[in-house]
Amino acid sequence: MRVLPKITMQFLFVFILLILPKTALAKCEDEASSSVRWNYCDFQGAQLAGANLYKSAAQGTNFAGANLESADLRGANLKFSNLRDAILDTAFLNDAKLNMANLEGAFLGGTQLDGAELSGADLQGADLYYANIENANFEGADLRGSILKAVIGFDSANFDGANFSGAKTDNGVCAEGSISECIVDTEPKPAETTASSTQKFGTLYTEESLR
């Protein structure tokens, strides 16, 4: 087997660095930009409101508690990412890949999720008030306790195997064990002593005001 001279190998390495797209060499320290590569980075609590992350690669990245309000995440790869308690109000997640992502307690009020992939995602307690979920895929997603009031495109989304237990919809609260569809619980519930608050487009409101 012929071995290339050391100087030739060095030349090839430099040549590869020059011809590779800039995004292919991006690191976690790189600023937010279209097609940036942030795979498996840690942005917990980061302030990224309005950021341009169009078609970015952020698979397995930690965005827990981050502020991504109105951010452009169209076509972004967010598979297995941690978006727990993240603020995504009015963000653009059209055609984004959120398979198996953790969106527990996330704020998604008015968010554009049309065409998004959310199969197997954890959306427990997530607030999707007035979100656009047209043609989105929620197959096998965990929607327990989520807020699905006034969502757009509900009938066109795929909810096969999704868990709606305790989710709040325009028709009422989904019964325990509601899989693939919301079976409204007709049993009367005891009055709550306290009303929890959630965020809607940057402001606070109570769940009582949505009923």
Side-chain angles (χ1 to χ4, degrees), residues 4 25 30 37 43 63 66 83 116 120 127 168 173:
L4 293 174
L25 302 172
D30 289 347
R37 296 179 69 86
F43 291 103
F63 288 109
L83 289 151
D127 183 354
K168 299 174 179 64
V173 179

Side-chain angles (χ1 to χ4, degrees), residues 84-112:
R84 182 171 183 171
D85 298 324
I87 299 172
L88 289 153
D89 291 327
T90 64
F92 299 90
L93 283 156
N94 318 61
D95 301 313
K97 297 176 178 64
L98 289 149
N99 313 66
M100 305 301 293
N102 182 1
L103 288 150
E104 184 178 354
F107 300 102
L108 295 151
T111 299
Q112 297 298 314

Side-chain angles (χ1 to χ4, degrees), residues 20-59:
L20 278 175
K22 181 180 178 183
T23 55
L25 302 172
K27 298 179 181 178
C28 299
E29 292 77 17
D30 289 347
E31 294 183 2
S33 63
S34 177
S35 299
V36 69
R37 296 179 69 86
W38 279 350
N39 292 322
Y40 305 104
C41 295
D42 186 3
F43 291 103
Q44 182 172 357
Q47 295 298 316
L48 294 163
N52 177 16
L53 294 166
Y54 174 71
K55 286 192 174 181
S56 58
Q59 181 170 307

